[in-house]
Amino acid sequence: MADKVTLIIQSGYYDRIYSALVIGTGALSMGMDVSMYFTFFGLDRLKKGKLEKGPLSRMNMLGLGKFMVKRRMKKANVRSLSALMDDYIELGGNVLACDMTMEIMGSSLDEMDERIITDHCAVGTYIKEARESDITLFL
Amino acid sequence: MADKVTLIIQSGYYDRIYSALVIGTGALSMGMDVSMYFTFFGLDRLKKGKLEKGPLSRMNMLGLGKFMVKRRMKKANVRSLSALMDDYIELGGNVLACDMTMEIMGSSLDEMDERIITDHCAVGTYIKEARESDITLFL
Amino acid sequence: MADKVTLIIQSGYYDRIYSALVIGTGALSMGMDVSMYFTFFGLDRLKKGKLEKGPLSRMNMLGLGKFMVKRRMKKANVRSLSALMDDYIELGGNVLACDMTMEIMGSSLDEMDERIITDHCAVGTYIKEARESDITLFL
C-alpha cells in the first residue's frame, strides 16, 4: 500500500488552496496517495467557477494584492491554480466534499464542479483514511 | 494501546472549534484516544460561558453571518457546538490548557470552565503525546 | 534515526511563529529533529529584521494588542520570539525557505537573515522529510 497524504481544506483562501495543490501534486508525483477533504469555506471553492475566487489569507502579500500576485506567478512561470488542479486530478488525487457543510449551507452536489469532485463523505471516512496517513495537515 | 489524535487549537474561531469537535468525537467513537491542546485565542474559548462566542474565521460564510449559520445548523439537525463538547467529554476526550498562554494573559484555571478542562500543561506534554499520534493537526 | 517534526509556516502572524518556535525548541530539547518550511507570508518573516514584525492573527488577544501581549510576555518571563529563534538555531533546528515563493515575489536569499536560514528548497524536499515525520503541522 502506498504512503498517504490527507489534507483538510477548511479555509477558502487563494494561497492556502495553492499550497494544498502544490503539496498534493508533489506527493502524487512521488508515488503517494493523496486525499483532500473540503469543508466550510474550503468547500465553496469547489462550486462551479469558484476555484480561483478566494481572497488572499491577508489583504496583501508583501505589499501586493491578489491581482499582482497572480501576475507575478505568470511571470515566474509557476502553474496557475486551475492548471494545478487539473494536474492533481490527472495524477489521481482525490477531492472529497464534506456532507455536513453541504447540509448546513443547503448546498448540493449539483452546484459543485463535477470535473473536480471525486465523492462526498462524513467525518468517519476522513478519520479512517487519516489514521493510515504519513502526512496529515489542516489548512 | 489505542491509536491517537492530537490537536492544537490556537484560533478561537467558531468554525474551527466546530471542526475540532467533529473530528474529536468522530475519532473517539471509532475507538481512538483524542487530546486537544488549547492555546492563545483557542484558550479563550475555555473560559466560563465563552465556548460558543468565537467569530467565524471569515466575516461571513457563503454570504451568511454567524447567526444565520447557527440557525441553519439547527435546521439541518446538526449538533450545536456545546452539545458536541458534551459528547466529546462524555466519550473520554481530553482538553488541555496551555500553561504559557495563561501566564502571558494573566489568566488562571479559576476562570476556565471546570466541566470542560481535563488538565493544564506545557509544551513537553504535547510533544510526548503528539509523537505517538496517528493524526496531528494545528487549527 | 531520531524522531522528526516537520512544520510548514505559511502565515506570518506573530503568535503562530511563536507557537512554531515553542514546539520546535521543545521537540529539539527532547531529542527530536525539527525542520520548518517557510512559505508565502511566513517567508516574509525570514527577511532581515522582520522576524518580530508580524501582526497577531486577530486584531487583539483577549482585549490586548500586540504591544501589550509582548509586554505581558516580558513580565511573565517567557522568552521573546527572537530569543526563541536563537535557541532553535543553537539546538540544531532547520529553517528552509520556499523556492517558489521567492520566485513569485521576486525575493532573493540576499534579503533573508543569514543567521536564521539553513537552506532553500522546493516541495519535494518537504514531502520527503514530512513522510518520515512523527509530527506534521501546517501553521
Side-chain angles (χ1 to χ4, degrees), chain B residues 10 41 44 104-105 131 136, chain C residues 15 19 57 61-62 72 136:
Chain B
Q10 176 144 340
F41 306 95
D44 201 36
I104 293 173
M105 302 314 296
R131 71 198 292 182
T136 57
Chain C
D15 52 287
S19 286
S57 61
M61 181 159 138
L62 327 190
R72 291 275 186 105
T136 56

Side-chain angles (χ1 to χ4, degrees), chain C residues 86-114:
Chain C
D86 291 345
D87 295 346
Y88 178 74
I89 299 299
E90 197 172 311
L91 288 164
N94 293 309
V95 174
L96 288 306
C98 168
D99 282 339
M100 197 194 66
T101 304
M102 287 196 289
E103 276 169 47
I104 293 172
M105 303 314 296
S107 306
S108 79
L109 278 180
D110 292 341
E111 302 169 50
M112 306 294 160
D113 191 331
E114 70 278 0

Side-chain angles (χ1 to χ4, degrees), chain A residues 8 123 126-127 138, chain B residues 5 7 19-28 137:
Chain A
I8 295 177
V123 68
Y126 164 71
I127 289 165
F138 188 102
Chain B
V5 180
L7 309 181
S19 287
L21 288 169
V22 168
I23 294 167
T25 53
L28 288 166
L137 301 173

